[in-house]
Amino acid sequence: MGSAGVSETRATGSERDAGAEKEAAAARPGTVPAQAGAESGPADREAGAGPPPVPLLEPREGVPSVVTDAAGLDRVVAAFAAGSGPVAVDAERASGYRYGQRAYLVQMRRAGAGTALIDPIACPDLSALDAALAGTEMVLHAANQDLPCLAEVGLVPRRLFDTELAGRLLGYPRVGLGSMVENVLGFVLEKGHSAADWSTRPLPEDWLRYAALDVELLVELRDSLQAELESTGKLDWALEEFTAILATPPKPPRADPWRRTSGIHRIRNRRALATVREVWEARDRIARERDLSPGRVLQDAAIIELAQKSPKTPAELQALGTMRGRGARRHQSAWLRAVARARDLPERRLPEANVPGDGPPPAHRWADRDPEAAKRLTAARAVVAALADEHSMPSENLVQPDTVRRLAWTPPDEPSVSAVAAALRDLGARSWQVGLIAQPIAKAFLRLECKGDL
């Protein structure tokens, strides 16, 4: 099965797999197997309680060959359909190198099937694999990062376990995959290729080893975290969060994406804003055509300087400090045309300096614009911070900060528990979140009214 990218596992379950790896690690020169303390909490493990972690150097069955054809993919489908238990899934992109966020490698592992490394450029349709695993839980780390690119190749989980989000709900101070594997399972993952250009072909052997190791212990991590979630009474919260991730529709295209150009706050007039827009759109067009990350075509700093200086000739453009890179010089005529277009625009077609958002104004302006709302926001934030501390999780995982701002800015007419709960649900809060925060926030708002502060 090696040519198909699937290696046969020597254990039948995640606990046995983990035990086998521990035994193998113990036999390696210079390594000592580590065992996370069953009664230690996330902070204790982060502090280094227990034996030192063991470097995880090789996948259990070696580095599988990359699947690059239909026959190999058929073997993967058959192997994973015959496997058992959850499926670990990861994807590698080429952020910073290529345009967009497509996957350039998909890694999967399942008990009874081993590990598969699939080239989604050579095999762009994984719908047969998706169908074979339709009822299977898929385990991802930071699922929101990989779900869009997996959907592009036809892999769409119906059941999800997100190990990063589980770590957040459990209060782990660091929730990167390497930190979680180390602190929960006692192994060290090598993370040297996380920012590599995964569009490279052929992929180097050490990159493939790194990719395979990313799914090597993901199911074991999931099992340990589920046990912690259950013992702390947070499993239902996590399951509701995982369901919400899968139910969330893709984000619509951002309006005026050029307004997110780094440094745009330094642009003070509408004509210069028009230059930012024209150059940004020219860069985006070139980046898309050449399949390059926009930043490799032209840095944001160069866009801002073009808007500030508005060069008219190649000499003026080349004199700018940000235009000395090869990519910037290569397309200098495109930048000059974009600057000229902005310069020639009639006043009525210039972009507005400020575009009103669909939510409350920035919180630092509330004291002047609506002092009562500012007091509600302070009270609600205090409630959320106290509850988050009580339940050992970040405040933003207890409830989104934007939800708190919107509730404080436009509260229900009466600060009853039911009214606050309904408002929170309308703002997208999950049932477990509403159950925790609706009553204390309602009481905080009511106290403000009774004290005459509102």
Side-chain angles (χ1 to χ4, degrees), residues 26 60 65 119 141 188 197 201 277-278 305 338 349 377:
R60 268 164 279 197
S65 301
D119 181 350
H141 191 83
V188 177
D197 179 4
R201 293 296 184 271
R277 180 181 64 189
E278 294 293 333
E305 190 171 23
R349 293 182 56 192
L377 181 61

Side-chain angles (χ1 to χ4, degrees), residues 142-343:
N144 282 329
Q145 296 181 18
D146 288 339
L147 287 176
C149 68
L150 291 172
E152 288 180 358
V153 295
L155 202 58
V156 182
R158 280 72 158 179
R159 295 169 55 206
L160 172 70
F161 193 103
D162 186 333
T163 50
E164 185 205 46
L165 182 51
R168 290 183 182 277
L169 295 177
L170 288 166
Y172 280 85
R174 296 184 299 159
V175 292
L177 179 59
S179 296
M180 293 296 293
V181 168
E182 180 175 343
N183 290 305
V184 177
L185 301 178
F187 290 99
V188 177
L189 288 178
E190 197 278 315
K191 299 298 291 182
H193 303 300
S194 59
D197 179 4
W198 288 90
S199 67
T200 300
R201 293 296 184 271
L203 287 165
E205 180 78 5
D206 57 330
W207 294 18
L208 296 177
R209 180 178 297 104
Y210 157 88
L213 289 173
D214 264 2
V215 293
E216 180 79 3
L217 295 177
L218 198 53
V219 172
E220 287 85 347
L221 178 61
R222 169 240 183 264
D223 292 347
S224 292
L225 293 177
Q226 175 164 299
E228 286 192 57
L229 289 166
E230 194 162 13
S231 67
T232 56
K234 296 179 178 180
L235 181 57
D236 287 342
W237 303 357
L239 295 177
E240 191 173 355
E241 289 297 301
F242 302 157
T243 299
I245 290 173
L246 295 180
T248 302
K251 291 182 179 180
R254 186 184 299 275
D256 292 344
W258 57 271
R259 290 186 182 272
R260 293 179 63 82
T261 303
S262 179
I264 198 171
H265 61 280
R266 301 200 302 270
I267 302 302
R268 304 298 185 184
N269 64 78
R270 295 173 63 202
R271 182 73 58 186
L273 277 178
T275 304
V276 173
R277 180 181 64 189
E278 294 293 333
V279 176
W280 188 98
E281 291 177 350
R283 180 186 70 172
D284 191 68
R285 183 168 55 254
I286 293 169
R288 185 170 56 251
E289 291 170 353
R290 298 190 62 208
D291 191 19
L292 290 173
S293 169
R296 295 177 74 85
V297 176
L298 187 70
Q299 294 288 332
D300 279 10
I303 296 179
I304 299 303
E305 190 171 23
L306 287 167
Q308 292 172 325
K309 303 295 178 58
S310 190
K312 297 180 180 179
T313 67
E316 290 177 356
L317 182 140
Q318 292 169 15
L320 302 181
T322 58
M323 299 300 296
R324 292 173 184 163
R326 183 172 61 181
R329 293 290 187 92
R330 179 175 183 175
H331 303 286
Q332 64 178 10
S333 59
W335 316 138
L336 286 172
R337 287 194 299 271
V339 172
R341 284 195 300 272
R343 191 184 299 117

Side-chain angles (χ1 to χ4, degrees), residues 393-430:
M393 71 175 69
S395 294
E396 62 268 22
N397 289 112
L398 178 59
V399 61
Q400 285 291 314
D402 184 63
T403 298
V404 177
R405 286 193 296 269
R406 289 174 185 266
L407 177 67
W409 186 256
T410 310
D413 293 335
E414 294 292 332
S416 65
V417 175
S418 60
V420 170
L424 287 167
R425 283 191 290 270
D426 289 344
L427 291 169
R430 258 74 79 187

